Amino acid sequence: MPRSCVPRRVTVISASVGAGHDGAAAELASRLEAAGFAVDRYDFVDLLPCGLGRLLSGAYHRLLTLAPAVYQRVYASMGRTGRPGPALRLLLRGARRRTRRTVGPATVAAVATYPGAGQVLGALRVRGRLDVPVLTYLTDFSVHPLWVARGVDVHLAAHAVPAGQARSLGARGVLVSGPVTNKAFHPVDEAERRAARERLGLPAGGTLALLVAGSWGVGAVRSAAHEIRAGGAAVPVVVCGANKSLLRRLRGDGFTHVRGWESDMPGLMRACDVLVQNAGGLTSLEAFATGLPVMSYRCIPGHGRTNAAALDEAGLASWVRDAGRLSTVIGELATGALGERQRAQGLALFPRGTGPAAVIAAAAGRAGGRGSAPATLPGARGPAERTPGLRPSRESAAGAAAFVPRMRNRNGSPRSAARRGPLRTPATAIALVLTLGLGIGAPVLHAYGSVPGRISSAARHFIEEHEL
């Protein structure tokens, strides 16, 4: 086909670890498609070799549920080193070949909404195996070092606070592009609020506090619900996500407004007065777009706490660490000046006509096809200069198109054929052993080895949580 007839494609790689990364990817894809691009979405969990992605996602979930202190240690340890450890580097290296295959001949940009995907795309870019711009959309409000990858051309941040953190970690081409949320999240008037309450069976009067804990429903949600109810400043409306055990327990505790997996989150946000969250992810951004004041409380370890600190620094969400201040802050957010100020600052994150999708489209358009990194983008702090060792930007489209099918050929190039040789299976086995041994086992032993009693406590918690 003539090149002018081939649709320009954008590869978007997220991860089904919770719902925030996928939610951002879905909205970016929707907006890019509206701008005339064809979008190919991939789950990074499936790009890891030998099903290790599902294994690690499950392990991450279990750490948050059963051993949050261990997850805090792992998160902090990786933050101190500033780069993936040996086991994680080996694991990410195993995903390069599959990730490279996600970029087809007509692709004009690749986007990561998950740190691991950004690491692999950046490595491919540095090695000259990707000749299209690579952009990372930072879904978290705080920036862990794993979000910053050498070889990524542009890092997109929702606010100046995460942008500053990314720059301090050495990120290139950092741009404050604002967040991206579904258009169903928007401010409403009082009549629409009353209608939403009636439709959802919620009290017509009084203050409602929407308590959320992500798609997995992890963290001290039950304690937070009891404390909100005991304080009397608001009636808790709890969303448990996929955590059916939490749903049953809260209903057994006498909570009236408890919901499982919620398909009408925009309606719930319209009906409530305050959002109480513990992770600082996509749900917080959706609340900002709705004009709903946000409070961080009983945050989960790791990114939950760093996100809460960043949101508090930005003046977008109050971080309450003391249960004694819970009712006071809820009241100030629902009807006071604090809530009005946070509403205004949250809505200001969404200027009309801009956003990360527009930046991605501009970067893809400036690439004009395959070969060059994007030029300096408006508002970027410093040019998104090309990474040393990349293919020259004058490389013809025909040459680039010939290169990509060669890498995707079933028989492979001589280089890839060598990697498929006798060492492939042992390398995968080594990656599995190191990932499980160093990535999960070592932190667990480090955390619990000196206090054997904690192991029995964790086991007892597991039995109670799953009603075994």
Side-chain angles (χ1 to χ4, degrees):
M1 295 178 61
R3 185 168 183 80
S4 60
C5 298
V6 178
R8 296 178 300 165
R9 310 191 73 86
V10 175
T11 293
V12 178
I13 304 178
S14 62
S16 55
V17 181
H21 304 290
D22 281 344
E27 188 58 28
L28 286 174
S30 175
R31 298 191 182 194
L32 288 168
E33 287 169 350
F37 293 90
V39 178
D40 301 307
R41 283 185 56 194
Y42 296 89
D43 187 349
F44 187 71
V45 168
D46 295 329
L47 298 179
L48 291 170
C50 301
L52 289 176
R54 299 292 169 190
L55 179 65
L56 291 179
S57 178
Y60 164 58
H61 188 187
R62 292 303 179 212
L63 281 179
L64 279 177
T65 304
L66 304 176
V70 178
Y71 175 66
Q72 178 65 40
R73 285 176 180 270
V74 174
Y75 186 91
S77 174
M78 295 175 72
R80 285 192 298 269
T81 60
R83 63 193 299 264
L88 184 56
R89 287 201 301 273
L90 184 59
L91 183 67
L92 294 177
R93 190 175 297 123
R96 286 180 190 170
R97 183 172 58 86
R98 290 185 178 183
T99 302
R100 178 64 188 84
R101 290 183 176 181
T102 67
V103 181
T107 302
V108 292
V111 181
T113 65
Y114 180 69
Q119 290 286 337
V120 174
L121 287 171
L124 291 171
R125 190 88 162 103
V126 167
R127 287 161 176 75
R129 302 194 57 192
L130 278 186
D131 55 353
V132 299
V134 172
L135 302 93
T136 289
Y137 172 71
L138 304 169
T139 59
D140 283 335
F141 222 82
S142 62
V143 182
H144 190 275
L146 287 182
W147 273 112
V148 176
R150 180 170 171 254
V152 172
D153 298 291
V154 181
H155 292 78
L156 303 176
H159 186 272
V161 168
Q165 293 181 6
R167 293 189 190 104
S168 69
L169 292 169
R172 298 168 49 234
V174 179
L175 178 64
V176 179
S177 62
V180 58
T181 58
N182 191 287
K183 294 180 181 179
F185 296 94
H186 57 78
V188 296
D189 57 26
E190 187 57 34
E192 291 173 301
R193 185 178 301 280
R194 288 196 300 268
R197 289 192 176 196
E198 182 179 0
R199 185 180 73 255
L200 296 169
L202 298 174
T207 300
L208 299 183
L210 180 58
L211 177 60
V212 298
S215 63
W216 285 344
V218 296
V221 186
R222 193 179 180 191
S223 297
H226 278 279
E227 289 163 348
I228 293 172
R229 182 170 66 177
V235 174
V237 179
V238 190
V239 178
C240 300
N243 193 336
K244 296 180 180 178
S245 175
L246 175 64
L247 178 70
R248 290 193 300 268
R249 291 183 178 192
L250 287 173
R251 287 179 175 171
D253 291 341
F255 287 92
T256 306
H257 308 293
V258 184
R259 310 171 78 89
W261 186 266
E262 182 56 54
S263 59
D264 187 15
M265 189 59 75
L268 268 182
M269 288 191 177
R270 295 187 190 107
C272 294
D273 302 285
V274 179
L275 178 78
V276 182
Q277 61 84 31
N278 66 358
L282 179 62
T283 307
S284 296
L285 298 177
E286 293 168 343
F288 298 150
T290 310
L292 184 65
V294 178
M295 180 180 73
S296 304
Y297 184 64
R298 287 192 171 273
C299 296
I300 62 175
H303 64 280
R305 295 173 185 172
T306 57
N307 283 343
L311 288 167
D312 192 56
E313 179 186 350
L316 290 165
S318 301
W319 186 10
V320 177
R321 303 172 180 84
D322 180 9
R325 295 190 63 245
L326 180 62
S327 297
T328 301
V329 176
I330 287 178
E332 292 175 352
L333 289 175
T335 59
L338 178 61
E340 289 300 321
R341 184 165 63 250
Q342 287 193 8
R343 286 188 192 93
Q345 292 179 345
L347 291 171
L349 290 174
F350 301 86
R352 294 183 179 179
T354 60
V359 178
I360 295 167
R366 289 171 190 243
R370 302 173 61 86
S372 61
T376 303
L377 298 172
R381 191 70 65 84
E385 62 271 12
R386 290 178 54 78
T387 305
L390 294 183
R391 296 176 178 271
S393 60
R394 62 177 178 271
E395 181 182 25
S396 67
F403 169 74
V404 176
R406 183 169 181 258
M407 297 304 299
R408 292 179 52 134
N409 187 282
R410 185 169 185 176
N411 295 325
S413 64
R415 184 179 180 186
S416 61
R419 291 183 177 180
R420 287 186 178 89
L423 293 178
R424 181 180 175 188
T425 300
T428 301
I430 292 171
L432 174 60
V433 171
L434 288 177
T435 299
L436 293 178
L438 299 180
I440 299 174
V444 172
L445 291 175
H446 177 74
Y448 293 125
S450 60
V451 189
R454 293 186 182 179
I455 299 178
S456 60
S457 298
R460 184 169 59 253
H461 178 77
F462 178 86
I463 292 171
E464 292 175 353
E465 180 71 20
H466 299 277
E467 300 182 352
L468 298 178

